[in-house]
Amino acid sequence: MKQILVFFYWRWKMRRNKGYRIRSLDKRLVQRFHLCICMSTLISVLSVGYGKSLINGTFDAVRFINDSFLIAPTIYFALFCWGVMTILIIYWIRFIHQDYYKQLIHRQRLAQMILENHWYESEMVQSDSFFKDLKSNRQSEKITFFPKIYYQVRDGLIHIRVEIRMGKYQEQLLKLEKKLESGLYCELVEKELKDGFVEYVLFYDMIANRLSLSECEICKGAMKLMKNIWWEYDRLPHMLIAGGTGSGKTYFILTIIEQLLRTEAKLFILDPKNADLADLSVVLPDVYHQKDDMINCIESFYYRMLERNEGMKNMPNYRTGENYAYVGLVPEFLIFDEYVAFMEMLNPKETSLVLSKLKQIVMLGRQSGFFFGIGLSKTRCKIFR
């Protein structure tokens, strides 16, 4: 008994640390799940109807089989109860506890991905016939190697860890981004190679993790973008917002601006198209859409950054390695909408000067608290590259 408890504790601990191990049998995981529910409800109904006779030892198996063939009223009632219980439990799990059901589908798709792409090793073995005395010529496939893949949902993110063994399937397992994004309908957040594994981190249920404007917040140098996603601008200081036309880039930028206005941060907004962001000039001081005004804003932003970099070192509470927040300074944000449209306004000389200053802002802005955010459409991004 003690060994059994130790085994289950070890399995629980491993699952908690690594997640569910994907196995070849998981290719029909959802069907097996439905079958388990059907069998569980059937056993529950039989235990309710015939449990007392089973406990007392008065259960008549012959009579039960005869009643089953005759479709006695009690069998009608038992079948009805079985069907209702099965439907209710499946509905409850599939629609009320959707997360659990989605995770079953994800694990099944991962197993099917490995099997359909033949990223495993197998051998043909002789299969036994129904009668052991007779020899069988049939052969069946026996899997000898199946890649170690672990699936786990933690803090609203999917963590998929794939073991890398330097085998013949290593190249395929190191490039699963597109398959995972399209197959699981998730967005890749991070890919990291560590300790013999490559870990893919993806958004879990992007729609469910969206926030309303009232739920957005900024805390300790980080901006909440989704329920489990923060932009830690003190650590990752600059942002690129890219998307197709009409995908909501400008609305997202407006959301960021609305959050920053709740803090002491200084905002400088550039809208070369003189569109939605330019309208903020009615309520905000530093909003520009004319070419010369935007160039002057970038130059002023750049020189203030250099001035702060020098001034921070002369402060009495300055410490090497600490940033602007440690010495009590406020961040400043330079926000572009349609950055490529602005670059198209400039002549070659102006382009060279502006790019030089923007590169310096990107490289030096983190410690002094000067941050840069740009938005551009995917088509313009391709042209710009």
Side-chain angles (χ1 to χ4, degrees):
M1 186 66 180
K2 184 178 179 181
Q3 293 178 346
I4 295 173
L5 292 174
V6 170
F7 172 77
F8 280 109
Y9 172 75
W10 175 78
R11 292 283 296 175
W12 171 81
K13 190 174 182 179
M14 187 178 69
R15 184 172 294 175
R16 185 180 179 184
N17 294 334
K18 292 185 177 180
Y20 290 94
R21 169 80 185 274
I22 305 300
R23 302 184 183 277
S24 58
L25 293 175
D26 291 342
K27 64 181 179 180
R28 295 190 180 90
L29 184 61
V30 175
Q31 293 88 329
R32 284 166 45 207
F33 172 73
H34 289 158
L35 180 61
C36 287
I37 291 177
C38 291
M39 296 303 297
S40 300
T41 52
L42 178 61
I43 293 171
S44 300
V45 169
L46 291 177
S47 63
V48 171
Y50 299 94
K52 189 174 180 180
S53 59
L54 285 169
I55 294 171
N56 297 332
T58 59
F59 178 74
D60 190 348
V62 176
R63 182 180 177 184
F64 175 76
I65 294 171
N66 290 333
D67 289 346
S68 300
F69 282 112
L70 295 172
I71 312 297
T74 54
I75 300 299
Y76 274 122
F77 182 72
L79 290 173
F80 174 77
C81 293
W82 177 42
V84 170
M85 284 181 63
T86 302
I87 292 170
L88 287 176
I89 292 174
I90 291 176
Y91 177 86
W92 179 66
I93 294 174
R94 188 164 183 174
F95 297 102
I96 307 301
H97 289 273
Q98 294 183 10
D99 288 346
Y100 181 77
Y101 195 78
K102 280 185 180 179
Q103 291 171 30
L104 291 177
I105 294 174
H106 287 175
R107 289 160 56 193
Q108 178 173 284
R109 288 180 180 175
L110 288 172
Q112 291 172 346
M113 175 188 70
I114 298 297
L115 292 170
E116 290 177 10
N117 287 282
H118 297 281
W119 295 341
Y120 65 93
E121 296 177 6
S122 62
E123 61 181 11
M124 302 305 293
V125 297
Q126 197 78 17
S127 59
D128 295 330
S129 64
F130 182 78
F131 300 100
K132 293 185 178 181
D133 295 337
L134 300 176
K135 290 186 177 180
S136 174
N137 295 325
R138 292 186 304 171
Q139 290 186 329
S140 60
E141 185 182 39
K142 180 183 178 182
I143 294 177
T144 57
F145 166 75
F146 196 81
K148 286 185 179 180
I149 301 178
Y150 297 93
Y151 173 93
Q152 186 179 41
V153 177
R154 187 172 68 246
D155 298 328
L157 297 172
I158 299 174
H159 297 260
I160 297 175
R161 303 181 74 225
V162 183
E163 185 185 35
I164 302 301
R165 298 180 57 180
M166 295 185 292
K168 60 181 178 180
Y169 307 116
Q170 175 170 320
E171 292 300 320
Q172 294 91 327
L173 296 176
L174 283 171
K175 299 176 182 178
L176 293 178
E177 298 94 324
K178 291 184 179 179
K179 286 183 179 292
L180 294 176
E181 285 186 319
S182 58
L184 305 183
Y185 189 59
C186 299
E187 289 285 339
L188 184 73
V189 177
E190 184 181 2
K191 176 185 175 182
E192 186 177 0
L193 186 63
K194 54 184 180 182
D195 195 24
F197 283 82
V198 57
E199 182 172 7
Y200 299 92
V201 183
L202 304 102
F203 278 125
Y204 178 74
D205 201 343
M206 295 176 288
I207 296 175
N209 281 291
R210 289 179 179 174
L211 297 174
S212 64
L213 282 175
S214 60
E215 295 175 308
C216 297
E217 60 178 305
I218 294 179
C219 179
K220 296 181 180 179
M223 180 185 300
K224 193 173 186 179
L225 303 178
M226 299 180 75
K227 288 183 179 179
N228 300 290
I229 302 299
W230 293 73
W231 174 31
E232 299 177 76
Y233 51 80
D234 279 356
R235 188 170 64 90
L236 300 171
H238 311 295
M239 175 182 283
L240 170 65
I241 304 163
T245 303
S247 60
K249 298 185 302 297
T250 302
Y251 185 80
F252 180 66
I253 293 173
L254 287 169
T255 303
I256 291 175
I257 292 171
E258 195 270 343
Q259 290 189 61
L260 292 172
L261 288 174
R262 300 178 188 177
T263 69
E264 298 178 348
K266 295 181 180 179
L267 299 181
F268 300 87
I269 301 167
L270 309 181
D271 186 0
K273 292 176 65 177
N274 192 19
D276 298 324
L277 294 188
D279 296 339
L280 294 174
S281 60
V282 179
V283 291
L284 297 177
D286 298 300
V287 181
Y288 308 101
H289 66 273
Q290 297 290 342
K291 183 181 80 170
D292 292 338
D293 293 336
M294 290 188 288
I295 292 174
N296 292 334
C297 177
I298 293 171
E299 289 182 350
S300 175
F301 193 83
Y302 168 72
Y303 287 118
R304 283 199 312 278
M305 179 193 70
L306 295 181
E307 183 180 353
R308 180 180 284 189
N309 279 339
E310 291 297 324
M312 283 174 59
K313 295 182 179 181
N314 298 323
M315 291 183 174
N317 57 342
Y318 172 77
R319 287 178 59 182
T320 302
E322 299 293 347
N323 65 2
Y324 69 98
Y326 183 81
V327 294
L329 299 174
V330 298
E332 298 192 17
F333 290 83
L334 179 64
I335 298 176
F336 262 104
D337 192 17
E338 292 297 346
Y339 167 77
V340 177
F342 168 67
M343 299 304 293
E344 290 173 349
M345 293 180 176
L346 309 179
N347 59 45
K349 184 178 179 180
E350 291 171 335
T351 300
S352 178
L353 292 173
V354 168
L355 281 176
S356 175
K357 290 180 172 58
L358 291 177
K359 287 177 182 177
Q360 292 295 313
I361 292 169
V362 170
M363 288 189 294
L364 305 175
R366 184 182 69 85
Q367 189 172 14
S368 55
F370 281 73
F371 305 126
F372 182 40
I374 62 173
L376 67 162
S377 64
K378 286 184 178 179
T379 52
R380 286 184 174 272
C381 184
K382 291 177 182 178
I383 294 170
F384 183 65
R385 285 189 299 179

